[in-house]
Amino acid sequence: MNRRQFLSVLAAAPLAAAADPKPNVVLIVGDDLGYADLGSYGCKDIPTPFLDSIAKNGVRFTDGHVSCPYCSPTRAGLMTGRYQTHFGHEFNPGPAEQAVENFGLPLTETAMPKRMKDLGYKTGMFGKWHLGYKPAYHPQQRGFDEYYGFLGGAHSYLDAEADPANPIFRGTAKVAKVEYTTDQFAGEAAAFIDRNKDSPFFVYLPFNAVHTPLEALPKYEARFDGKITDPRRKTFAAMLSAMDDGVGLILKTLDKHKLTNKTLVVFHSDNGGPTPVNTSRNDPLRGFKAQVYEGGTRVPFLMQWPGKIPKGKVYDHPVIALDMLPTFVAAAGGKPAEDWKLDGVNLLPFLKGKDKGVPHKQLFWRFGRQWAMRDGDWKLMSMGDAPALYNLKTDIGESKDLSTTEPARFEKMTVDWKAWDQKNIPARWVPQGAAGQKKKKKKA
Ligand code: CA
């Protein structure tokens, strides 16, 4: 080393030492879990101690949303940080064996694992993809180093080969046998953490729990013997309890490697609860999965990063799953470029109290003929018919339409909605019989 090289090493060293090492990021997603399904969100009959511990050690969002009340579009928004309707990913593909031909997270879009990989992360995914079946759309083509899971929208919890059109894969190889999928996905994620404990890692763990089919192992059902009598509710409770255990396994694995303080952990659901289908609950919200009422898009949403974001904080301003990508990139020391065209924002300054403003003045949703927008406490929405205006601060259950008593606000929000909708493109596919796009009735 000559003198000049030596001096330049000296100059660079303090900077390198001062920079925080990159934290690990673990993103856990539940499926069809409603706003009222966790203890920390008021659930009384199903204990969820591990999920609730994230609220205790971090932040619980009371107004946390996904960008669609339905599985695949939500995931397209989550994985890109962009409103999925900007790139035509508006609907599900339909069931695996009859999925629309051109379905998949458009290849024009860059997914979260690729962003994290570019920042030096080992990336692993364990669970439900639902963003394309064809080889070009496979998770390992979108930035994941490792993958274990299924590509469709739902799967048997017990039988790996239940649906020939929707197998379980390790990488690109079909798997013949599976443990209970919830246990298996959590176990695979924990093993990935074990293998990668010394390098920054990004884990995406999208459980199929608590989506149908209602299937649980006896050991989980037994927890509710004599406590829950309705058989469907009892199975649902067992499925949720198993997922909570899976989250517990991840938290314990981080602890085991002394990585808890070096890891940003997020949990949220992919849409609200379809109460009639799986007994999940959204109270006190109106509506369900597949609807742009609050019950369809407002979900349990939790984040912990001990020492970096506050502990036991309840955060009431609206946030959206689109914020995860910029938040993770910022945590990793990266900076999104203009041409990423993100709609989400980095939440860390807001959670740390460094930014006293709100992450979003407005939020928007479009799902076929349904649409909605938030502006502060106000929500303008339509189920495909005349729009209604609600004040969520005084009426979280969306019961009193104020469109005629607040005509100026109604007008202004309608204009803003239309301006946002200009940035959307037509849906790239519209599956037969999917929710949200009821056939327009012919006017008589
Ligand atoms: Ca779902």
Side-chain angles (χ1 to χ4, degrees), residues 30-33 69-71 75 128 211 269-272 289:
D31 197 351
D32 287 12
L33 184 79
Y70 225 52
C71 306
R75 289 155 202 268
K128 162 175 164 177
H211 198 294
S269 182
D270 74 330
N271 48 247
K289 172 182 179 179

Side-chain angles (χ1 to χ4, degrees), residues 178-307:
V178 69
E179 277 181 68
Y180 190 58
T181 53
T182 306
D183 296 351
Q184 181 98 35
F185 296 153
E188 297 284 340
F192 176 84
I193 293 172
D194 286 340
R195 288 195 298 279
N196 292 285
K197 61 182 167 44
D198 297 323
S199 57
F201 55 78
F202 167 60
V203 168
Y204 177 42
L205 175 55
F207 287 108
N208 54 321
V210 286
H211 198 294
T212 52
L214 292 177
E215 290 176 346
L217 295 180
K219 67 172 178 178
Y220 296 123
E221 295 245 10
R223 293 176 181 178
F224 300 94
D225 283 347
K227 291 179 181 152
I228 297 181
T229 47
D230 173 66
R232 290 171 68 244
R233 181 69 177 171
K234 187 175 175 183
T235 303
F236 174 85
M239 292 160 69
L240 176 50
S241 192
M243 179 165 73
D244 190 62
D245 275 21
V247 171
L249 175 65
I250 300 304
L251 298 175
K252 287 176 198 167
T253 303
L254 295 173
D255 254 352
K256 179 178 79 182
H257 297 305
K258 300 192 171 28
L259 292 174
T260 299
N261 292 351
K262 292 180 198 160
T263 306
L264 171 58
V265 178
V266 170
F267 174 87
H268 68 78
S269 182
D270 74 330
N271 48 247
T275 305
V277 178
N278 69 355
T279 82
S280 59
R281 302 199 61 110
N282 304 309
D283 10 343
L285 310 178
R286 178 177 181 179
F288 309 105
K289 172 182 179 179
Q291 301 181 330
V292 296
Y293 286 116
E294 292 294 288
T297 68
R298 192 189 292 218
V299 292
F301 214 122
L302 304 166
M303 182 186 292
Q304 73 169 42
W305 187 7

Side-chain angles (χ1 to χ4, degrees), residues 370-390:
Q370 298 184 46
W371 58 267
M373 75 166 284
R374 279 290 293 277
D375 190 328
D377 294 330
W378 294 86
K379 178 169 172 181
L380 182 68
M381 56 92 60
S382 166
M383 292 294 290
D385 42 19
L389 180 69
Y390 299 108

Side-chain angles (χ1 to χ4, degrees), residues 32-357:
D32 287 12
L33 184 79
Y35 188 68
D37 281 334
L38 303 184
S40 42
Y41 285 82
C43 180
K44 299 276 183 256
D45 58 343
I46 309 168
T48 51
F50 294 111
L51 282 157
D52 297 340
S53 80
I54 303 177
K56 213 156 70 182
N57 295 324
V59 178
R60 182 173 76 88
F61 297 90
T62 61
D63 207 349
H65 293 262
V66 282
S67 56
C68 182
Y70 225 52
C71 306
S72 179
T74 278
R75 289 155 202 268
L78 173 66
M79 282 293 116
T80 57
R82 305 185 63 213
Y83 284 115
Q84 65 281 350
T85 42
H86 289 353
F87 50 87
H89 200 126
E90 189 158 347
F91 298 118
N92 271 20
E97 70 278 6
Q98 42 190 268
V100 286
E101 188 60 20
N102 63 337
F103 168 69
L105 179 67
L107 300 175
T108 48
E109 304 303 311
T110 303
M112 184 185 279
K114 176 67 166 64
R115 302 288 187 210
M116 299 306 281
K117 202 171 158 63
D118 288 348
L119 287 162
Y121 280 67
K122 293 280 175 56
T123 55
M125 170 178 170
F126 312 94
K128 162 175 164 177
W129 180 232
H130 215 193
L131 291 176
Y133 295 95
K134 292 187 175 162
Y137 298 94
H138 187 276
Q140 286 172 301
Q141 295 298 320
R142 308 310 294 267
F144 285 109
D145 295 319
E146 293 190 25
Y147 172 63
Y148 182 100
F150 61 91
L151 302 174
H155 203 284
S156 162
Y157 288 76
L158 301 162
D159 180 2
E161 298 179 315
D163 178 0
N166 184 25
I168 291 185
F169 290 100
R170 181 182 300 282
T172 53
K174 285 182 197 175
V175 166
K177 273 198 163 59
V178 69
E179 277 181 68
Y180 190 58
T181 53
T182 306
D183 296 351
Q184 181 98 35
F185 296 153
E188 297 284 340
F192 176 84
I193 293 172
D194 286 340
R195 288 195 298 279
N196 292 285
K197 61 182 167 44
D198 297 323
S199 57
F201 55 78
F202 167 60
V203 168
Y204 177 42
L205 175 55
F207 287 108
N208 54 321
V210 286
H211 198 294
T212 52
L214 292 177
E215 290 176 346
L217 295 180
K219 67 172 178 178
Y220 296 123
E221 295 245 10
R223 293 176 181 178
F224 300 94
D225 283 347
K227 291 179 181 152
I228 297 181
T229 47
D230 173 66
R232 290 171 68 244
R233 181 69 177 171
K234 187 175 175 183
T235 303
F236 174 85
M239 292 160 69
L240 176 50
S241 192
M243 179 165 73
D244 190 62
D245 275 21
V247 171
L249 175 65
I250 300 304
L251 298 175
K252 287 176 198 167
T253 303
L254 295 173
D255 254 352
K256 179 178 79 182
H257 297 305
K258 300 192 171 28
L259 292 174
T260 299
N261 292 351
K262 292 180 198 160
T263 306
L264 171 58
V265 178
V266 170
F267 174 87
H268 68 78
S269 182
D270 74 330
N271 48 247
T275 305
V277 178
N278 69 355
T279 82
S280 59
R281 302 199 61 110
N282 304 309
D283 10 343
L285 310 178
R286 178 177 181 179
F288 309 105
K289 172 182 179 179
Q291 301 181 330
V292 296
Y293 286 116
E294 292 294 288
T297 68
R298 192 189 292 218
V299 292
F301 214 122
L302 304 166
M303 182 186 292
Q304 73 169 42
W305 187 7
K308 295 290 184 184
I309 63 171
K311 186 180 162 156
K313 186 183 176 82
V314 176
Y315 192 81
D316 293 323
H317 294 301
V319 302
I320 191 160
L322 308 180
D323 299 332
M324 295 306 100
L325 188 145
T327 300
F328 297 166
V329 166
K335 198 172 178 324
E338 267 305 296
D339 69 357
W340 295 12
K341 296 183 182 151
L342 298 185
D343 296 302
V345 302
N346 170 19
L347 295 181
L348 297 175
F350 299 96
L351 302 179
K352 292 174 177 178
K354 286 183 181 163
D355 191 325
K356 306 284 184 206

